[in-house]
Amino acid sequence: MNKKQLQSEQTKKKIAHAARNLFVQKGYKATSIEDIVEATGSSKGNIYYHFKSKEGLFLYLIEEWDYDWDQKWREKESLYPTTIDKFFGFAEQMVLEDLNHPLTKSADEFFKSEEQTSEMEERITDMVKRHLQFNQQLIQEGIDAGQFHAQDTNSLAVILEGLMFGLSHMSRKSSLQEALALYHDAIKVFLYGIAANRPEDQSNNEE
C-alpha cells in the first residue's frame, strides 16, 4: 500500500469511526450524512467517495463487526477440546459479542427499515454465506471427529443460523445470565434433540 492509499484508508476509517459513534448514540435513521460531515470534518463528497451512501457506510461497520467477531473466535477456538465444546463456546460468544454490541440496536433498525439496493443485497448475501460456511465447517469437524452422525451439513448450517438469528431477537430483553442459559439450552436441543425416541430408534425397535 503506497502513501496515498494509506492516507485514503486512514480517512475512511476516521469517517467510519465517527459515524459509528453517531449510530450508537442516535440510532441509524436519526443519523444523517450532515451529522457525519459535522463529526468528521470531511465533505459530503469525500464521504460518498469512500462509501457511496449512508447505507454503504453502515454495512462497512457491520462487516467490520463480523470480521472482529471472527478474529476473536479464532483466538479462543483452540481452548475448546472437542467440537461439542466449541458449539457451546460459539453460543457464549454470540451472547457476549452480539447481544451487547453497541451497534446491535442500530443494526436491527437498519435491517428492518431500509430499502435494499442490489449492492446491499449482494453484500448481505455474502455475509450470510460466510456465516453458513462457518456453521458448516464446525458441523463437518464434528462429523469427521465421530462426534456427530454423518448428515447434510448444508441444511444443518441453515438450521443453526436460523436458530441463532431467532434467539438474538427473542432474548434482547433478557439479562446476560438468562441469555447465556437460553443459548446453552438451544445448543443442547440442536445437538441432542428433545424426543425420548427418535424415528430411527423406533424403526430399530420395530425390527
Side-chain angles (χ1 to χ4, degrees), residues 67-200:
Y67 176 78
D68 182 61
W69 193 101
D70 188 66
Q71 288 296 107
K72 288 179 178 178
W73 172 256
R74 299 305 171 193
E75 289 170 5
K76 65 168 65 170
E77 185 179 12
S78 61
L79 300 176
Y80 303 111
T82 70
T83 308
I84 290 175
D85 293 322
K86 288 182 183 181
F87 264 90
F88 289 107
F90 157 70
E92 180 178 311
Q93 182 162 316
M94 288 290 292
V95 173
L96 298 178
E97 297 296 332
D98 289 5
L99 294 186
N100 294 310
H101 195 280
L103 283 175
T104 295
K105 290 183 179 179
S106 292
D108 285 346
E109 190 181 352
F110 173 79
F111 287 114
K112 286 178 182 177
S113 64
E114 195 58 44
E115 290 184 11
Q116 296 181 5
T117 64
S118 57
E119 180 191 1
M120 288 171 58
E121 288 179 350
E122 184 177 342
R123 289 170 69 177
I124 292 170
T125 297
D126 287 342
M127 193 167 9
V128 172
K129 282 181 180 177
R130 291 196 299 272
H131 292 180
L132 294 177
Q133 287 171 354
F134 174 91
N135 295 349
Q136 191 173 359
Q137 289 170 1
L138 194 58
I139 293 165
Q140 187 63 54
E141 180 183 318
I143 293 172
D144 294 341
Q147 294 177 298
F148 306 150
H149 294 299
Q151 297 184 58
D152 180 5
T153 58
N154 289 318
S155 61
L156 288 177
V158 173
I159 292 168
L160 180 59
E161 185 68 11
L163 179 61
M164 294 295 105
F165 181 80
L167 283 173
S168 71
H169 288 276
M170 296 298 293
S171 56
R172 290 293 162 82
K173 295 183 179 180
S174 302
S175 68
L176 177 61
Q177 291 304 316
E178 288 172 339
L180 285 169
L182 183 62
Y183 274 68
H184 187 274
D185 286 344
I187 292 298
K188 285 200 296 185
V189 171
F190 179 80
L191 293 175
Y192 307 118
I194 61 173
N197 293 298
R198 296 185 299 177
E200 56 265 38

